[in-house]
């Protein structure tokens, strides 16, 4: 079994503020280490369950957050940006994906640093009229290749959102969010055990044929983005083949990888200027 661990940072153990996940801020290096600990716990759990290979995708910001020198030496790391599949780089040829350090979609209540891809530009994202967060976008890319999402870690809200959308995943709730920048947090020794156990159960279920089905979006894929400001919609609407309705810009793609590529380009374009 070949397993991909797709990691983000806002849902990592102890994270409650942007400063903790932003390069150059005082606490960023501390939380890089905590991110690496969470990922290592998932790596260990996957190997406990008999994984043949484990590859990690560093999916936060520019993809240069995880400490390679402290990463479990059995894992391989995809880092840097841009890469063809961004937060799920390495997904092709995998048997299952574990989401570590994820956060809830934009606008969610009681959800630490809830946003969808870009807190500065994106209000909502829809796939064929279904509201999704980053977990949904990334799961749909994995699903295109027949790869199921097996597990997620983060606060209680993202875990519940992911289960509602993707089915009966294994979950590791590492903090109970009480607001956008507040949560009841557990110590790394506790969350590490939770993540390792959830990853082990997830891969064991895959091995036994009891894993959730891949999240596959019907083709063609209609992706719609609600932007936060009119100027952002103005810029996104300049891309070819789109339709605009107020702050919403829509694009119809032949498949999910094409929709994902358009979305990433649209966010970059809308953020410019």
């Amino acid at each position: 079994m070949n397993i991909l661990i797709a990691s983000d940072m806002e849902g990592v153990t102890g994270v409650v503020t942007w400063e903790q996940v932003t390069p150059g801020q005082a606490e960023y290096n501390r939380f890089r280490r905590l991110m690496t600990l969470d990922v290592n716990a998932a790596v260990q759990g996957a190997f406990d369950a008999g994984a043949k290979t484990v590859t990690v995708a560093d999916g936060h910001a520019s993809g240069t957050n995880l400490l390679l020198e402290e990463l479990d030496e059995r894992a391989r790391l995809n880092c840097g940006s841009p890469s063809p599949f961004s937060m799920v780089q390495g997904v092709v040829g995998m048997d299952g994906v574990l989401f570590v350090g994820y956060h809830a979609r934009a606008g969610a209540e009681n959800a630490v640093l809830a946003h969808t891809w870009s807190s500065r530009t994106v209000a909502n994202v829809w796939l064929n009229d279904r509201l999704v967060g980053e977990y949904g976008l990334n799961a749909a890319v994995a699903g295109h290749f027949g790869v199921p999402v097996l597990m997620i870690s983060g606060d209680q809200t993202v875990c519940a959102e992911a289960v509602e959308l993707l089915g009966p995943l294994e979950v590791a709730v590492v903090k109970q969010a009480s607001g956008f920048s507040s949560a009841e947090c557990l110590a790394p020794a506790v969350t590490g055990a939770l993540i390792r156990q959830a990853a082990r159960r997830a891969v064991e279920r895959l091995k036994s044929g009891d894993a959730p089905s891949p999240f596959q979006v019907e083709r063609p894929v209609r992706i719609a983005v609600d932007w936060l400001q009119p100027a952002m919609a103005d810029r996104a609407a300049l891309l070819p083949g789109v339709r605009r309705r107020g702050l919403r810009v829509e694009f119809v793609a032949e498949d999910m990888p094409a929709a994902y590529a358009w979305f990433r380009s649209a966010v970059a374009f809308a953020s410019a200027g």
Side-chain angles (χ1 to χ4, degrees), residues 17 22 38 59 68 84 125 137 161 170 190 197 208 232 247 251 268:
T17 69
T22 303
D38 280 11
L68 182 60
V125 179
L137 286 163
E161 287 182 355
E170 294 295 331
V190 176
Q197 291 162 10
S208 68
M232 298 168 187
L247 291 177
F251 179 74

Side-chain angles (χ1 to χ4, degrees), residues 62-194:
S62 61
T64 54
N65 309 281
L66 290 166
L67 299 171
L68 182 60
E69 64 273 24
E70 296 186 16
L71 188 68
D72 189 308
E73 63 185 13
R74 297 170 292 178
R76 296 172 291 185
L77 176 63
N78 283 316
C79 54
S81 179
S83 57
F85 291 112
S86 190
M87 295 183 74
V88 285
Q89 179 64 22
V91 69
V92 179
M94 292 294 163
D95 297 301
V97 182
L98 313 178
F99 286 167
V100 173
Y102 268 56
H103 53 82
R105 65 177 179 254
E109 296 182 16
N110 294 327
V112 168
L113 303 182
H115 66 285
T116 302
W117 207 270
S118 170
S119 62
R120 296 182 178 90
T121 55
V122 176
N124 283 306
V125 179
W126 309 78
L127 293 177
N128 292 347
D129 297 321
R130 177 177 284 184
L131 183 63
V132 297
E134 289 172 31
Y135 53 84
L137 286 163
N138 294 326
V141 174
H144 172 83
F145 296 104
V147 182
V149 178
L150 310 175
M151 176 216 135
I152 189 165
S153 74
D155 65 28
Q156 81 281 11
T157 303
V158 70
C159 290
E161 287 182 355
V163 168
E164 180 181 9
L165 181 69
L166 306 177
L169 312 182
E170 294 295 331
V171 302
V173 177
V174 302
K175 53 196 169 192
Q176 290 285 330
S178 53
F180 186 79
S181 297
S182 60
E184 180 181 84
C185 297
L186 300 173
V190 176
T191 60
L194 292 174

Side-chain angles (χ1 to χ4, degrees), residues 192-235:
L194 292 174
I195 294 169
R196 182 173 182 174
Q197 291 162 10
R200 176 182 51 76
R201 291 193 305 268
V203 177
E204 286 176 344
R205 287 177 57 190
L206 176 66
K207 189 175 181 180
S208 68
D210 185 38
S213 298
F215 179 56
Q216 296 179 321
V217 178
E218 185 177 349
R219 305 180 195 181
V221 180
R222 187 173 70 261
I223 182 167
V225 182
D226 295 334
W227 304 96
L228 290 173
Q229 298 292 337
M232 298 168 187
D234 288 345
R235 288 189 285 269

